[in-house]
Amino acid sequence: MPKFFLPDEREYAVDDLITIEGADANHIAHSLRMKKGDIITLTASNRTEYETEISDFTDSSVLLRVLSRFRNDTEPKVFSRLFQALAKGDKMDTVIQKAVELGVGEIYPVQSARCVVQLDPKRSDKKLERWQRIAEEAAKQCGRGIIPKVHSVISFKEAVAEMKKSDLYFLCYETCRENNPKNLFKGCSFSSVSFFIGPEGGIAPDELLLSHTEGIPDGTLGKLILRTETAASAVLSMLLYETEF
């Protein structure tokens, strides 16, 4: 069943009519080629879901009638925040897409010392729009109750300060041999977790020193060294396994 997100938290009752406009309306009418009577799920930002039926089309909108409403229950118990060092090419796209599919709550792109790519400030807004669009598409595809926010690019120092706002936080580091996620997540006595994934060039010594000074522990993902575009998915998969199953 196709799923779309509503832009506000307005409450709708059964038999109310909801108008969808813009890109979503075009997607419903032309890409999906849906017809009157077809069923669509709408999710509001407060995680209320509406099962709706297509009532009518206009040149620029789709009119939906509410059949039922319920609370979305797909969100993970633990709110996770990914601090991902900028990666070259389309790797960031992949990281964001897969992280959203695996339940991440927020994503912070980080400009760290050894990032291969240096994001041009003039292009950052367009990049952010693209990343947020990827997050929204992934959230629709996998039935999320929210669209995870992709924040503006921050420095490593800013990332360290922001990570400490979570109940649990750690930095994934390839030479660490302790604090594996199974031990970190064991017992699930936390409601939020932040973790940092370094770039292709690794984490610089001064960044590692700063994180240790600020009390951010290292975490290991095992004996194998994972690519930057793989590591976040590994952490989120382990988190889901330890806290959801």
Side-chain angles (χ1 to χ4, degrees):
M1 183 187 302
K3 178 172 185 168
F4 296 87
F5 286 89
L6 290 167
D8 53 45
E9 295 185 10
R10 178 180 169 184
E11 294 287 337
Y12 294 94
V14 173
D15 288 332
D16 280 353
L17 295 176
I18 301 176
T19 301
I20 301 296
E21 300 176 316
D24 283 345
N26 183 67
H27 186 62
I28 291 168
H30 299 105
S31 298
L32 298 177
R33 298 182 180 181
M34 300 188 77
K35 306 180 294 296
K36 289 183 182 180
D38 285 348
I39 304 299
I40 292 174
T41 299
L42 299 177
T43 303
S45 56
N46 63 358
R47 291 179 57 188
T48 299
E49 295 209 338
Y50 301 92
E51 185 180 71
T52 67
E53 178 185 60
I54 297 178
S55 177
D56 204 357
F57 293 91
T58 72
D59 291 340
S60 60
S61 65
V62 180
L63 196 62
L64 306 172
R65 183 174 65 86
V66 177
L67 301 177
S68 63
R69 49 176 288 166
F70 48 93
R71 176 74 171 172
N72 173 276
D73 63 355
T74 63
E75 287 303 299
K77 298 172 185 175
V78 175
F79 188 82
S80 57
R81 305 163 79 213
L82 165 61
F83 291 77
Q84 172 68 49
L86 293 174
K88 63 182 180 181
D90 60 0
K91 292 180 180 179
M92 283 296 291
D93 296 359
T94 300
V95 169
I96 290 167
Q97 182 189 65
K98 300 310 176 188
V100 171
E101 290 178 11
L102 289 166
V104 79
E106 291 179 319
I107 300 171
Y108 289 80
V110 181
Q111 185 77 67
S112 64
R114 291 182 174 174
C115 284
V116 176
V117 59
Q118 299 292 319
L119 192 62
D120 183 349
K122 294 180 180 179
R123 298 177 56 199
S124 61
D125 288 347
K126 288 186 178 179
K127 278 284 189 182
L128 187 60
E129 288 176 7
R130 173 180 172 79
W131 292 336
Q132 190 62 63
R133 186 168 64 251
I134 290 170
E136 180 174 352
E137 290 170 355
K140 289 177 182 177
Q141 183 274 324
C142 64
R144 293 288 300 271
I146 64 169
I147 303 172
K149 180 176 177 58
V150 182
H151 292 266
S152 298
V153 179
I154 60 176
S155 68
F156 184 82
K157 184 177 180 180
E158 291 171 323
V160 167
E162 190 65 34
M163 287 173 66
K164 293 173 69 175
K165 295 178 182 179
S166 293
D167 297 334
L168 174 67
Y169 40 84
F170 60 96
L171 175 149
C172 294
Y173 190 53
E174 63 268 21
T175 65
C176 177
R177 289 293 175 262
E178 300 176 356
N179 289 334
N180 64 63
K182 183 175 182 179
N183 292 332
L184 288 167
F185 300 152
K186 191 174 183 179
C188 191
S189 59
F190 54 93
S191 60
S192 61
V193 58
S194 290
F195 63 98
F196 175 80
I197 302 296
E200 291 95 340
I203 300 169
D206 59 336
E207 291 176 332
L208 194 61
L209 176 61
L210 173 62
S211 67
H212 290 169
T213 301
E214 293 297 320
I216 305 290
D218 298 341
T220 177
L221 298 181
K223 297 178 181 179
L224 301 177
I225 298 176
L226 303 183
R227 293 179 181 270
T228 187
E229 66 269 30
T230 306
S233 292
V235 173
L236 290 166
S237 297
M238 295 174 195
L239 177 65
L240 286 177
Y241 180 79
E242 292 295 332
T243 60
E244 298 286 330
F245 300 103

